[in-house]
Amino acid sequence: MSGELPDYYFRVRENGAFVFRVDTENRQRRIEMDQIAVINIKNGQVKPHGDRELSDEDARVIKQWMDERTALLAQRDIDDIHRAVDYLNLTTHWAQSRATDDQLEDVTDALLLAMHDLRTVLVRKKADRMLAGDKDDG
């Protein structure tokens, strides 16, 4: 490995991460990873591992990672939505130009229901934003 290793390693999992302190300053010159905490990114909970007490530096690094991870996940969410818009456009082109009657029969009801549901939510949310905007102006 080249370069200096970080002092902490975060093993990402579904709802957060396991936090390890990285140690290379030992007699065998091996990389040792000592688990110090478990993070739940959804509820912001940080649980020290075992009987550990986290240092101020541990807490600072964990908080920084959680903030960066939350921002990354939010960016990924919006990227997924932009991709969904592209897929809707591609689906429209497919339905208009290449889809067979059997293929359309297979997907039409599911697509119509999903699009109706999405439209209903989007219209309601837009109306809520517009009403909130009117309240801010008045």
Side-chain angles (χ1 to χ4, degrees):
M1 290 184 159
S2 64
E4 193 172 310
L5 293 174
D7 293 332
Y8 296 88
Y9 172 71
F10 295 82
R11 182 193 303 152
V12 175
R13 63 189 191 109
E14 179 84 21
N15 292 324
F18 296 105
V19 184
F20 296 86
R21 191 174 294 121
V22 178
D23 177 19
T24 57
E25 301 296 323
N26 54 62
R27 286 187 284 183
Q28 296 84 16
R29 306 195 95 184
R30 288 190 219 162
I31 298 171
E32 292 181 6
M33 297 192 324
D34 185 25
Q35 184 177 352
I36 62 170
V38 177
I39 297 170
N40 184 321
I41 203 90
K42 293 197 187 252
N43 65 15
Q45 191 173 46
V46 177
K47 289 184 182 176
H49 183 70
D51 295 334
R52 294 194 175 279
E53 285 193 31
L54 299 177
S55 69
D56 290 343
E57 178 67 4
D58 294 338
R60 185 193 66 74
V61 169
I62 289 169
K63 168 106 173 59
Q64 179 182 348
W65 183 88
M66 290 175 73
D67 291 346
E68 291 171 1
R69 183 70 179 172
T70 300
L72 175 64
L73 294 174
Q75 183 59 47
R76 285 181 181 171
D77 278 349
I78 199 69
D79 286 346
D80 288 345
I81 300 307
H82 286 294
R83 276 190 211 83
V85 172
D86 287 349
Y87 282 127
L88 283 171
N89 286 310
L90 291 169
T91 301
T92 302
H93 182 70
W94 167 82
Q96 186 173 32
S97 64
R98 295 191 317 273
T100 66
D101 288 345
D102 287 342
Q103 289 172 324
L104 287 171
E105 187 62 35
D106 188 39
V107 299
T108 296
D109 290 343
L111 279 170
L112 287 172
L113 287 170
M115 289 186 312
H116 174 74
D117 186 31
L118 176 60
R119 183 182 186 282
T120 301
V121 169
L122 291 175
V123 168
R124 184 179 68 243
K125 292 285 195 171
K126 183 159 187 122
D128 291 348
R129 288 193 314 275
M130 291 174 73
L131 288 173
D134 287 346
K135 289 179 185 175
D136 292 342
D137 294 338

